[in-house]
Amino acid sequence: MASGVGALIDAALRRDWEVGVFATPVAMDGFFDTADVEARTGRPIRSAWRRPGEPRPFPAPDAVVVAPATFNTVNKWAAGLADTLAVATLCEACGLGVPVSVLPCVSDALASHPAYRASLDRLRGMGVRFGDPYEGGAAGGDRRFHWERALDLLERR
């Protein structure tokens, strides 16, 4: 799934957005082509904290897309557990009032968990915009991950 993130980057670039990518350490472990992402964005992928005194490699965001958003990321973010740079960035974005859109990618079994449902409610209460969950082609559904929906959510105001 994350392997298709180039489609999101290309869609954002076509809309004249500047793009920077944050990824969890797990996602950096082979879930997508990091060299391709860095070539498309012209920026390094951020997944680790910077050292004191190191410059920020990205400007402050005007908007944030979280895709694909996993069960773990959504729950940690809603709880304010900023144990990775990616989740800390999401917590900070919400605190700064930066618009955030999310494309969940969670199995039906995990999506039915009470903690996940409560996390969605909490994040929606913070103004986070959610797209439909990815169905992965279950029961004849659409197998494509609709990356551009995250951008559409941000552009509607």
Side-chain angles (χ1 to χ4, degrees):
M1 174 76 51
S3 61
V5 73
L8 175 61
I9 294 167
D10 290 346
L13 293 171
R14 282 193 302 274
R15 295 180 191 203
D16 294 323
W17 291 30
E18 291 185 42
V19 179
V21 174
F22 286 82
T24 64
V26 170
M28 292 293 291
D29 194 22
F31 279 81
F32 66 101
D33 185 339
T34 57
D36 179 64
V37 166
E38 289 180 343
R40 287 174 194 255
T41 64
R43 293 187 162 105
I45 298 167
R46 296 287 314 280
S47 66
W49 305 97
R50 8 178 223 109
R51 292 186 180 99
E54 286 183 345
R56 293 179 179 263
F58 302 159
D62 294 319
V64 175
V65 170
V66 185
T70 65
F71 177 84
N72 194 46
T73 295
V74 168
N75 286 320
K76 288 195 316 182
W77 176 20
L81 300 176
D83 64 340
T84 66
L85 178 61
V87 177
T89 300
L90 296 175
C91 292
E92 185 176 65
C94 286
L96 293 171
V98 174
V100 180
S101 71
V102 180
L103 297 180
C105 186
V106 177
S107 71
D108 289 343
L110 289 174
S112 69
H113 193 284
Y116 182 74
R117 290 193 312 266
S119 292
L120 294 179
D121 290 344
R122 175 176 272 178
L123 292 170
R124 283 186 182 112
M126 294 165 47
V128 174
R129 303 165 189 182
F130 283 86
D132 294 330
Y134 176 64
E135 297 175 11
D142 192 345
R143 290 190 178 278
R144 295 173 295 148
F145 192 76
H146 297 280
W147 295 97
E148 286 197 47
R149 286 185 185 165
L151 302 175
D152 296 340
L153 287 166
L154 291 169
E155 290 180 343
R156 70 160 176 80
R157 300 243 179 196

